[in-house]
Amino acid sequence: MNDPDSIYASFIPDPTVHTGDFWPVAQNLPDLTCSELLKSIAFQLEGWYHIDNQRRTVELVSLTDLTNNRANAQDWSSRLEESVEPGVDYKIDPYGRRNFLKYREQDGVDKGYGNGVIGCDRTAAATDVPLFELPFSATMESTRQVNNYGFPLLIETRTVSGTGDNLQINKKSTSPRIVLVEPSKTFEVQTKVLNSSGNVVAATVTLTGCWFARRMQAIQTEENGFSLAFDPVPGQQSEASLISRYFGGLKRVLKRPRVLTVSVHLRPVDIATLNPNVPIRLKGVRVGDLEISDGYYYLNKLNNYRPGSTCTVTLIAF
C-alpha cells in the first residue's frame, strides 16, 4: 500500500514455496537498500559474493562449503615463485579473541537477544571485536499467550491508550525485522482491529505460525528445526542457531589462524577458470625459507595480475 500518509508492505506466505524456489524479492523488501539486504544475507550465512561480469551472475559463496571441498582443491604448488620470500602472519584482521555477531537493538528491550560470539584464542588482537551488526532487529515473543498456539512474536507497530470513547490508537515505527514462517500452520484468534472508518471492532484474524529463535510447540515440523539467533537463547531447544549451522568454516579458520602471502605464476586460463568455491592446495614445496609439506587454503586476495608475470596472492589456511 502506498499513499501520502502511510507506506507498508504485506506478505502472505505461500505453502507451495519451498527452500530453493524462486521468491519475489522486490515486493517483500523492508526499508533497506538492496546492498544492505545482500550484505545481511551474506553475514548471516558466513559467505561472500562472487560476481562474474561476463556470465552476468552473482553467486553467494559459503566459507563452510569451501572448507568442506578439499577433495576438489586446485594444486598451485607448481605455480609458486620459490625464490621470493613469503609473508606469513598468525592473525587475521579484524578478528579478536571474542568476535561478536549482533542484531540491531530496538529501544534496548532486546539488548543482546539473538546475538552470538565466536572465539579465537590464538590471536594477539583486541579482546572483543564487533564483527558486524545487522540492520535487522531481533524479535522477541509477546508475554500474552494465544490459546492453542503459545506466545506469538511481538513487533509493535502501534500504541493503544485509554478506554471506551477515549481509546486512542497511534502508529509506532519499528526497525526492519526478519522472522521464520511456517505457512502450513495457521490459527484463528479473536481480537480487535481498527477498521477503515477508524473504529475498533471485534474480528477473527488468521495467524500464520512464525518464530525468531524458539518455536512454539504448535508450529513445529520435521523440517524447521532452525533459528535466526546466532547463539541459542534461553529456552531454545532443538532449533539450530546460525553459528552452529553456518559458521563451521570460520571457526575452523580461527582455530589456527595462518595467512600466507606468496608470488605465483598464473596463466590466463587459471584466471578464467578461477572458482571461489574451490580451495587451493600447496604440497611438498619450499618458498624462500618456508617449507610447506601439505596445506589447504582459500584465496583471500589476488593483486597485480598480468599475463606472463608473477602476481601476489593472499591465502588463508584452514
Side-chain angles (χ1 to χ4, degrees):
M1 198 69 182
N2 189 343
D3 59 59
D5 298 322
S6 62
I7 300 175
Y8 64 90
S10 176
F11 169 46
I12 300 175
D14 183 347
T16 64
V17 175
H18 303 283
T19 301
D21 289 349
F22 288 104
W23 185 73
V25 174
Q27 67 198 54
N28 295 305
L29 285 176
D31 188 17
L32 301 173
T33 64
C34 289
S35 61
E36 287 176 318
L37 179 66
L38 291 172
K39 283 173 59 178
S40 298
I41 294 171
F43 282 150
Q44 287 183 293
L45 302 184
E46 186 222 35
W48 64 90
Y49 292 102
H50 172 59
I51 301 174
D52 190 320
N53 291 320
Q54 290 188 340
R55 296 180 179 87
R56 303 186 68 82
T57 59
V58 178
E59 180 184 7
L60 178 63
V61 180
S62 165
L63 181 57
T64 296
D65 290 345
L66 189 153
T67 57
N68 289 336
N69 196 22
R70 288 188 174 189
N72 295 313
Q74 289 186 335
D75 194 330
W76 279 14
S77 303
S78 62
R79 303 279 190 269
L80 293 181
E81 175 52 67
E82 299 181 6
S83 63
V84 177
E85 194 69 30
V88 182
D89 201 346
Y90 296 98
K91 67 179 180 67
I92 305 174
D93 293 330
Y95 300 98
R97 293 188 181 276
R98 295 196 305 167
N99 304 279
F100 290 93
L101 295 67
K102 297 182 177 183
Y103 280 94
R104 175 181 170 186
E105 287 187 18
Q106 175 72 10
D107 299 331
V109 296
D110 53 359
K111 185 175 179 61
Y113 189 81
N115 294 347
V117 61
I118 296 177
C120 177
D121 293 333
R122 299 189 180 188
T123 181
T127 301
D128 295 342
V129 173
L131 281 187
F132 58 79
E133 180 181 89
L134 296 180
F136 300 102
S137 291
T139 305
M140 303 177 72
E141 293 109 9
S142 168
T143 57
R144 297 182 181 181
Q145 185 170 1
V146 174
N147 292 339
N148 302 321
Y149 177 80
F151 300 92
L153 296 180
L154 177 62
I155 304 176
E156 292 185 324
T157 57
R158 64 182 186 176
T159 58
V160 181
S161 61
T163 59
D165 293 339
N166 296 321
L167 184 67
Q168 291 185 343
I169 300 179
N170 299 308
K171 296 177 182 178
K172 181 179 180 181
S173 64
T174 186
S175 58
R177 309 294 181 104
I178 51 174
V179 297
L180 295 164
V181 177
E182 180 46 62
S184 67
K185 302 288 186 177
T186 59
F187 306 84
E188 288 189 348
V189 298
Q190 299 298 317
T191 186
K192 293 182 179 180
V193 299
L194 185 68
N195 64 18
S196 58
S197 301
N199 299 317
V200 178
V201 297
T204 300
V205 300
T206 300
L207 295 181
T208 301
C210 61
W211 75 101
F212 178 85
R214 297 180 292 248
R215 291 174 301 156
M216 297 296 103
Q217 182 65 35
I219 61 174
Q220 291 190 8
T221 73
E222 294 181 356
E223 299 178 349
N224 61 16
F226 43 85
S227 162
L228 289 175
F230 284 105
D231 275 334
V233 304
Q236 188 175 323
Q237 298 177 356
S238 59
E239 300 83 5
S241 297
L242 292 177
I243 289 178
S244 63
R245 189 176 176 87
Y246 296 113
F247 284 75
L250 179 59
K251 293 171 72 174
R252 179 185 294 182
V253 168
L254 295 181
K255 188 175 182 179
R256 189 185 172 194
R258 288 161 295 157
V259 182
L260 181 65
T261 303
V262 292
S263 293
V264 295
H265 295 272
L266 295 179
R267 301 166 299 173
V269 66
D270 295 324
I271 298 298
T273 59
L274 192 61
N275 188 340
N277 282 315
V278 175
I280 305 300
R281 187 177 188 182
L282 300 179
K283 182 179 180 180
V285 293
R286 181 184 180 92
V287 188
D289 293 331
L290 178 68
E291 290 189 5
I292 303 174
S293 57
D294 196 4
Y296 292 86
Y297 307 82
Y298 74 85
L299 179 61
N300 182 249
K301 292 180 182 179
L302 189 155
N303 295 322
N304 304 323
Y305 170 75
R306 292 196 307 273
S309 302
T310 60
C311 61
T312 302
V313 298
T314 301
L315 305 173
I316 296 182
F318 59 87

